[in-house]
Amino acid sequence: MKFLNTGLINDLSAALNVSSLKNKVIAENIANIDTPGYKAKNIDFEKAMQEYFSGGQKLSLKTTDEKHIRGGSGAGFVSAEFRNSPSLRNDGNDVNLDLEMYELSANGVLYSELSQLTGYQFTKLKTAITGR
Amino acid sequence: MSFFDVMKLSATGLSAQRIRINVISANLANANTTRAENGEPYRRKDVIFEQVLEGEMAGGVKVQDVIEDNKPFVLKFEPGHPDADEEGYVRYPNVNPVEEMVNMLEAQRSYESNLTVLNTAKQLALRALEIGRA
């Protein structure tokens, strides 16, 4: 199955993974918008992808022991960081709703873009197979 | 799998905000209740939210507790009222309708934000399904 394992499809699926994890982090921030003391988290898409490319383009789960199973398509290179934005609220919560909503829609567009590109790769393969 | 997690996560936000709105409506409905269960005037209630931690990144939010507000009751001079004390003052609940309305708007907006996230997650999941369709 060499042709299915082309680098681009792998890269795109890694990017899709990062994007969906980012969606999750945004959802968590918004769900906790009224939780006292909650600190907003963020996944930097570009940084995560840089880490992915610098890591020999291999997707692996983060493991704490050599004997642990390494997943084939996990996203172990992604880690969420605290935003550390200044909080103006008395309860110490620093979720910025406008920023999160912007991130949400930007990430949604990015995800659609990536999924279309991935679909296009498969269309190309199909064209190569059927000749039509 | 991940998208269902996101949808579940947003759903925890939706239910927490809904509980908050329930409490606010109870406060407003009882804004003039001078006799609650224990014979005292009604005490304003408030919700405490808490983050739910599941693993490194998943989670959500839940209502950890519903607490009673210890602000003093409002005294009104109404000698004809059956609950008036010897000096003619009636203790009314410590509910401030303006505060409750502001709280309600905030809860409503938070609910809408969670709903937007849920819908986005749904759209992304459907978008992912279209990858193979060409």
Side-chain angles (χ1 to χ4, degrees):
Chain A
M1 295 295 264
K2 185 77 200 299
F3 68 95
L4 266 182
N5 259 332
T6 57
L8 194 52
I9 288 181
N10 272 345
D11 296 348
L12 283 169
S13 85
L16 281 169
N17 239 331
V18 176
S19 180
S20 75
L21 282 173
K22 187 171 171 118
N23 189 260
K24 194 172 176 178
V25 171
I26 296 168
E28 195 179 2
N29 287 343
I30 293 178
N32 281 295
I33 192 158
D34 294 313
T35 308
Y38 178 81
K39 300 293 177 201
K41 280 179 265 181
N42 181 36
I43 286 179
D44 190 334
F45 181 82
E46 275 148 40
K47 209 172 134 194
M49 288 316 286
Q50 270 169 13
E51 254 167 65
Y52 163 72
F53 283 118
S54 67
Q57 309 198 5
K58 254 185 276 163
L59 283 173
S60 65
L61 288 173
K62 238 181 215 167
T63 52
T64 50
D65 191 293
E66 277 301 308
K67 289 171 197 145
H68 287 170
I69 299 167
R70 288 187 182 277
S73 58
F77 56 95
V78 186
S79 52
E81 290 163 352
F82 287 110
R83 264 195 206 286
N84 282 330
S85 46
S87 171
L88 296 175
R89 286 166 56 170
N90 284 331
D91 60 4
N93 185 309
D94 70 348
V95 178
N96 181 343
L97 185 61
D98 309 290
L99 182 64
E100 299 299 338
M101 292 318 264
Y102 155 74
E103 292 269 18
L104 182 73
S105 52
N107 189 52
V109 173
L110 180 73
Y111 191 89
S112 310
E113 200 179 302
L114 288 168
S115 70
Q116 273 195 19
L117 273 173
T118 315
Y120 182 59
Q121 296 306 311
F122 285 112
T123 316
K124 279 205 302 193
L125 282 176
K126 202 172 163 191
T127 312
I129 293 166
T130 59
R132 274 175 282 167
Chain B
M1 32 117 240
S2 183
F3 283 117
F4 289 118
D5 289 352
V6 178
M7 286 157 86
K8 215 190 281 173
L9 207 159
S10 293
T12 64
L14 289 180
S15 72
Q17 298 295 344
R18 186 183 288 277
I19 292 173
R20 186 177 175 198
I21 290 180
N22 276 347
V23 169
I24 293 168
S25 72
N27 285 346
L28 279 173
N30 284 297
N32 290 308
T33 306
T34 51
R35 283 179 215 170
E37 280 169 12
N38 50 5
E40 289 260 289
Y42 176 85
R43 268 192 193 280
R44 178 182 172 267
K45 290 181 178 57
D46 210 346
V47 290
I48 304 284
F49 286 167
E50 190 186 47
Q51 186 190 3
V52 179
L53 283 174
E54 277 174 29
E56 203 179 339
M57 289 207 291
V61 66
K62 69 169 182 188
V63 174
Q64 192 233 341
D65 201 6
V66 179
I67 54 157
E68 290 197 332
D69 194 329
N70 281 325
K71 267 190 307 209
F73 292 123
V74 178
L75 289 178
K76 279 186 191 165
F77 185 65
E78 280 176 23
H81 196 287
D83 288 330
D85 60 12
E86 304 87 54
E87 289 164 14
Y89 285 99
V90 183
R91 290 190 301 166
Y92 273 95
N94 51 357
V95 176
N96 180 355
V98 179
E99 197 182 316
E100 300 301 327
M101 295 307 279
V102 172
N103 254 330
M104 191 181 73
L105 282 178
E106 205 184 303
Q108 188 186 354
R109 296 286 172 249
S110 301
Y111 189 90
E112 285 168 6
S113 315
N114 277 300
L115 203 59
T116 310
V117 179
L118 206 152
N119 278 325
T120 310
K122 201 172 80 186
Q123 278 168 16
L124 294 193
L126 291 174
R127 200 56 69 130
L129 279 178
E130 280 173 19
I131 288 177
R133 194 183 296 164

